[in-house]
Amino acid sequence: YPSGNLAIIITRERDHLICTVQEDELRTAKLRALFQSDGRSTCYYPNGDEWINISIQGGQYLDQAGNRVRRWMWPNLSSGPHVPLSPIFVSLNRHVGVRILAQDKIFVSFLAMGRQAKFNMGTKVQVSAASQLSPPARLGEDELLLLAFRVRILQLFDRMRGCINFPSSEQWNKMQPPMYLMTQAVKILELCMAADISDELRSSIRAIVNA
C-alpha cells in the first residue's frame, strides 16, 4: 500500500500457490481475502464476516448479515443442475478489487499511485468421483470450538515469540502471522458455514480465530 503496509502476499505451500490480501493496517494485518490454487477462495467484509466463498464445486455470495444472496455451480463439475455464474466484482478496499468471471478467471487487482498489478488466481480443478460420493464429515459444536481455540492459542504463541525476539521495539508488530495459521483459520470458517450450528456460535468462532 502507499502507506508501506503489505497488501498482497503470494506464497507456495507444497504444490499449491496461496494469494493473501491484507487490510491496510500496521498492527493487525487483518485478512481480507485468501485465494488458493486448489480451487478454494474466501473474501471477507471489513469486520471479518465471510463475503464470498468459493470451492471446487461452485461458490456463494453472502450479505453482511450472513444471508446467502447468490449461489452458483461451476459447469460440468456437479451432478446436480447447473447454476450459472453472473460476473461478480467487489472492492475489498480503495486499492484492491476482485473480479470473478469463471473458475479459471478470478482476478485480483491492485491499484495505487497510478500503477496497477493484476493476478489471475483462477484454476481449472477436476472433481474426482470419490470426492463427489464422499463429502467431508460435518463437525459438531465442541469440535469446531476446540479447533478455533487451538488456532487462537497458536496465534498467541507466535506473538509471544515475536515479542521475545524484539523485546525493545515495536518491530514484532509488523511481523506477519505464519501462512499455515491463516490457512487453518480460513478452513475453520469454511467448516462453520457447512455445519448445522447457530449464528451466535458461528459468530463466536469467527471472533476467536480473527482476534
Side-chain angles (χ1 to χ4, degrees), residues 31-32 41-54 59-69 185-194 202 206 210:
L31 186 67
R32 293 304 312 278
S41 303
T42 309
C43 298
Y44 300 94
Y45 285 104
N47 63 357
D49 290 346
E50 191 173 276
W51 192 348
I52 297 174
N53 182 271
I54 299 173
Q60 61 180 359
Y61 184 113
L62 307 174
D63 63 19
Q64 290 189 282
N67 302 310
R68 188 166 64 190
V69 178
V186 170
K187 289 180 179 178
I188 291 173
L189 295 177
E190 290 176 350
L191 291 172
C192 284
M193 293 301 298
R202 190 175 288 113
R206 185 185 300 117
N210 289 334

Side-chain angles (χ1 to χ4, degrees), residues 116-170:
Q116 184 181 38
K118 182 181 293 185
F119 308 91
N120 184 4
M121 293 305 299
T123 184
K124 282 289 187 182
V125 179
Q126 298 298 324
V127 181
S128 66
S131 65
Q132 289 183 343
L133 295 175
S134 303
R138 295 186 178 183
L139 299 180
E141 297 181 358
D142 292 341
E143 290 90 347
L144 290 170
L145 277 172
L146 285 173
L147 287 174
F149 279 120
R150 177 181 179 276
V151 168
R152 181 57 185 151
I153 290 171
L154 291 174
Q155 291 172 342
L156 291 174
F157 276 134
D158 184 69
R159 280 183 168 270
M160 289 174 59
R161 282 193 296 269
C163 189
I164 292 172
N165 291 333
F166 303 97
S168 59
S169 71
E170 295 185 357

Side-chain angles (χ1 to χ4, degrees), residues 12-30:
R12 179 179 294 276
E13 184 177 285
R14 297 176 182 169
D15 296 332
H16 300 303
L17 289 176
I18 299 175
C19 174
T20 305
V21 181
Q22 298 184 155
E23 190 54 274
D24 189 8
E25 297 178 354
L26 174 60
R27 294 180 181 274
T28 61
K30 185 182 298 180

